[in-house]
Amino acid sequence: MRSFLALTVLIGLASAAVVPKSSYGNGYGKLNVQLGPRPFYLVDNMDEGPLKKKLQSCSEGPFKPSEFVFAHRGAPLQFPEHTKESYTAARREGAGVIECDVAFTKDKKLVCRHAQCDLHTTTNILNRTDLAAKCTTPFTPAANGEPATAKCCTSDITMEEFKSLCGKMDGFNPNATTVEEYMDGTPYFRTDLYATCGTVMTHDEYIGLVNSWSLKFTPELKTPEVDMPFDGYTQEQYAQDMINAYKKAGIKPSRVWPQSFLPDDIFYWIKNEPAFGKQAVYLDERVDTEEGYINATASLPELAKKGVKIVAPAFFALTKLDASGKIIPSEYAIAAKKAKLDIVTWSFERSGWLNHGGDYYYQYVADAVNNDGDMYTVLDVLAKQVGIKAMFSDWPATVTYYASCFNL
């Protein structure tokens, strides 16, 4: 008997939902949602049970774009993050909302980069001798038991210089003795197959691209890694400049979910740009420690009183195991619901194989996770019991499959 995987891979490649024509020119009159083989592999890998049967029943689609699916940096499981190619892949995979992490350059222009100082791991800047010399910390090879180091920031170069770079898969080799070895550090569960020269994007270019697809935006104001004010550029102006870009482009605030890890950024938008501030997403990293988790949970009612509408911790903080080993909502998740806060969470497909219990993102449910298909078990609890508004994903197709199956 032919396996479910063999059948559904073929069906999935053919199944599609027509979405509005894109101005991102490819000469075709329609652009279809295409999921590829991964979601079907994960469903096939699940333990037997009602959820697996339900997901199997959806194998023929149709699959459609969903605002439940936030593309985290595009589709960086296989494409260089925050590049045109990565965003295009995310759009093909049904993401209804696409992210640009916003950093600023030396000339105070906004660009899409996960961190202000990650150019040495996400681009080819170290191979560019004209630009590598401008890095905050030049490349130093590993020696005498010390790892290789480098630090290159968007604020080291101008926007024009930034645009001359190629995006690569995020990663580095700490044992490198040459620049070439240092750049060869892609994690084992990703690929360099599509990383020949990713097209890096300015914030304005990202807005134009996503707008051409009639999709929505979630820009994250990255926490600066340089002292602020930077050459007279204040944190408040930085936060305002990001919002101004959407106003200048004529984008309705309802299409934008601005994010930040800094509470003051959220409060600034609530006060000064209330139309955008009501969808501001507070990225809550306090949950990373036991004490921080307790304090974060206790603080949720006060955040709501201050006007915060959406919180976004890493998804490990939203579930736990009960006495019988069943995955259930966590104290944080229950407190957020009680405070009438919406929850967006991150980031699906950012872990390697789960057959050893997962990693950071599965730490509270590790004893209940033993294969990759358990990803969908966790997602099901997050969607149905926790009631998340959306899930960030490094490979949107995985979440699109689930969202289409349950009409999210």
Side-chain angles (χ1 to χ4, degrees):
M1 183 176 180
R2 298 177 68 184
S3 73
F4 169 73
L5 174 61
L7 289 173
T8 51
V9 167
L10 293 174
I11 292 169
L13 291 172
S15 298
V18 178
V19 292
K21 180 179 178 180
S22 167
S23 63
Y24 177 52
N26 57 15
Y28 297 98
K30 64 181 180 181
L31 205 61
N32 293 333
V33 172
Q34 300 175 355
L35 302 187
R38 181 157 178 79
F40 306 96
Y41 162 78
L42 293 175
V43 172
D44 193 51
N45 187 249
M46 293 177 69
D47 296 332
E48 298 299 327
L51 179 59
K52 180 173 182 176
K53 289 181 180 178
K54 171 61 177 175
L55 290 173
Q56 285 177 328
S57 75
C58 298
S59 65
E60 297 184 45
F63 303 111
K64 58 186 184 296
S66 171
E67 291 176 20
F68 183 79
V69 187
F70 279 26
H72 184 239
R73 315 186 200 181
L77 185 68
Q78 295 195 35
F79 289 84
E81 62 187 46
H82 291 310
T83 61
K84 187 176 185 179
E85 295 77 13
S86 190
Y87 292 147
T88 302
R91 187 260 180 277
R92 282 280 191 185
E93 294 175 26
V97 183
I98 295 180
E99 180 186 46
C100 167
D101 289 321
V102 179
F104 60 83
T105 59
K106 185 176 183 179
D107 49 350
K108 307 178 186 71
K109 305 296 183 182
L110 303 184
V111 297
C112 297
R113 199 85 331 238
H114 175 65
Q116 185 177 32
C117 297
D118 72 1
L119 297 182
H120 50 291
T121 65
T122 64
T123 75
N124 67 335
I125 192 170
L126 293 177
N127 274 341
R128 291 282 304 277
T129 55
D130 57 329
L131 298 182
K134 299 183 179 184
C135 289
T136 297
T137 303
F139 171 72
T140 301
N144 301 318
E146 295 296 322
T149 58
K151 184 178 182 179
C152 304
C153 307
T154 57
S155 51
D156 291 333
I157 59 177
T158 66
M159 185 177 73
E160 181 179 1
E161 291 169 329
F162 172 81
K163 283 293 294 176
S164 72
L165 298 173
C166 289
K168 77 174 192 70
M169 296 298 284
D170 185 19
F172 71 99
N173 176 4
N175 300 313
T177 58
T178 66
V179 165
E180 290 71 22
E181 289 177 350
Y182 184 83
M183 294 175 63
D184 186 18
T186 301
Y188 69 90
F189 57 91
R190 298 184 186 147
T191 178
D192 289 313
L193 187 61
Y194 308 110
T196 53
C197 182
T199 307
V200 297
M201 302 284 287
T202 68
H203 182 225
D204 284 345
E205 289 172 334
Y206 151 83
I207 292 174
L209 187 65
V210 174
N211 192 42
S212 77
W213 294 329
S214 300
L215 299 179
K216 298 188 178 182
F217 311 83
T218 182
E220 179 191 333
L221 196 74
K222 297 307 300 186
T223 302
E225 296 184 45
V226 294
D227 292 336
M228 298 294 279
F230 173 77
D231 190 25
Y233 192 50
T234 66
Q235 183 70 25
E236 292 76 13
Q237 187 60 59
Y238 177 33
Q240 187 63 54
D241 283 351
M242 190 181 86
I243 299 301
N244 286 346
Y246 295 90
K247 296 167 74 173
K248 182 179 179 181
I251 305 298
K252 292 181 179 180
S254 60
R255 295 177 62 196
V256 184
W257 281 270
Q259 316 165 55
S260 179
F261 280 102
L262 299 179
D264 284 349
D265 291 339
I266 305 298
F267 299 142
Y268 176 87
W269 292 323
I270 290 171
K271 178 180 178 181
N272 296 283
E273 292 288 352
F276 289 89
K278 68 181 181 181
Q279 288 197 155
V281 179
Y282 172 42
L283 299 164
D284 195 351
E285 63 182 344
R286 299 173 298 168
V287 297
D288 279 357
T289 66
E290 182 177 356
E291 181 181 3
Y293 176 91
I294 294 170
N295 291 336
T297 301
S299 76
L300 294 177
E302 184 63 25
L303 284 176
K305 288 181 181 178
K306 291 182 177 180
V308 176
K309 303 292 186 185
I310 308 171
V311 291
F315 71 78
F316 79 82
L318 298 173
T319 58
K320 67 176 186 177
L321 299 180
D322 67 11
S324 66
K326 181 180 178 181
I327 301 173
I328 60 172
S330 69
E331 295 86 356
Y332 184 105
I334 294 169
K337 182 177 292 187
K338 186 176 181 180
K340 298 182 179 179
L341 292 164
D342 285 332
I343 301 172
V344 173
T345 191
W346 44 277
S347 293
F348 223 55
E349 294 284 24
R350 199 147 186 86
S351 301
W353 301 317
L354 304 190
N355 57 344
H356 297 295
D359 59 4
Y360 172 81
Y361 291 99
Y362 296 87
Q363 57 186 284
Y364 286 180
V365 297
D367 289 344
V369 173
N370 56 35
N371 57 62
D372 284 352
D374 286 331
M375 293 172 58
Y376 276 131
T377 303
V378 174
L379 181 59
D380 193 58
V381 173
L382 291 169
K384 294 179 182 176
Q385 297 183 46
V386 175
I388 62 172
K389 182 181 183 70
M391 170 64 82
F392 279 96
S393 180
D394 281 26
W395 196 243
T398 304
V399 183
T400 296
Y401 187 105
Y402 181 94
S404 292
C405 193
F406 288 98
N407 295 313
L408 298 176

